[in-house]
Amino acid sequence: MEFDNTKHLLNFDEMDSKHREFVDIYNSKKGEDIQDYKNVMIQILQHTKIHFCHEEDLMLTHKYPRLREHSDEHKKVLYEMEYFIKGSNTRIGKNILKSYYTQGLPSWFDTHLLSMDSDLSSFLSTKNL
């Protein structure tokens, strides 16, 4: 996965920095063993929880009108990450985690940035942050 300035850059430094960190963690996976996938997924989960908490604080502080939808999306993806990590102890679970990592996570990242996060950054830019 690459951070693509043409589609991922939101011109909101705090968010852009966290998104770049997400991509760096994602790309830190070295091997093809399921434990490599699992270890990086755990790091991504930890990073994402902190990022979402901060983002939700911004939304609350500035009375973002789509807080509920955005927060619900955060809950959904955190649940997915935890679910696939916990389920990776079986043969099928390992394959599902690997598939989620290689396909689901990059797809979600693109969609979330292009829709919800771009809307949030536009809203926050009106607050002169």
Side-chain angles (χ1 to χ4, degrees):
M1 179 187 328
E2 289 185 39
F3 188 89
D4 181 345
N5 285 337
T6 59
K7 69 178 179 178
H8 295 143
L9 192 65
L10 301 174
N11 294 313
F12 191 81
D13 291 340
E14 288 180 62
M15 293 172 76
D16 290 334
S17 173
K18 291 298 179 190
H19 295 151
R20 281 190 174 96
E21 288 173 8
F22 180 96
V23 170
D24 288 345
I25 295 168
Y26 180 90
N27 290 329
S28 71
K29 186 185 72 57
K30 300 293 184 219
E32 289 299 313
D33 184 77
I34 193 60
Q35 196 59 47
D36 297 320
Y37 286 93
K38 189 173 181 176
N39 290 342
V40 175
M41 274 299 303
I42 290 168
Q43 291 176 46
I44 287 172
L45 175 63
Q46 292 167 341
H47 176 271
T48 303
K49 283 180 178 180
I50 294 166
H51 171 63
F52 285 175
C53 186
H54 180 71
E55 220 174 72
E56 290 175 18
D57 284 345
L58 280 172
M59 290 188 275
L60 275 169
T61 300
H62 298 287
K63 298 177 178 31
Y64 178 61
R66 288 164 293 287
L67 168 67
R68 183 169 176 227
E69 294 89 345
H70 202 130
S71 179
D72 286 349
E73 172 66 17
H74 287 172
K75 290 175 189 160
K76 177 185 152 293
V77 78
L78 290 174
Y79 173 81
E80 286 176 355
M81 288 181 191
E82 289 172 346
Y83 178 82
F84 293 128
I85 290 167
K86 288 178 185 173
S88 65
N89 297 322
T90 67
R91 181 189 308 256
I92 292 172
K94 290 174 184 176
N95 290 335
I96 292 172
L97 175 65
K98 188 174 181 179
S99 177
Y100 178 75
Y101 187 91
T102 58
Q103 296 171 5
L105 207 51
S107 176
W108 168 81
F109 182 79
D110 283 349
T111 302
H112 188 75
L113 264 68
L114 293 171
S115 59
M116 296 193 163
D117 281 353
S118 69
D119 183 69
L120 175 59
S121 69
S122 292
F123 173 81
L124 292 173
S125 71
T126 68
K127 304 296 177 184
N128 297 318
L129 299 178

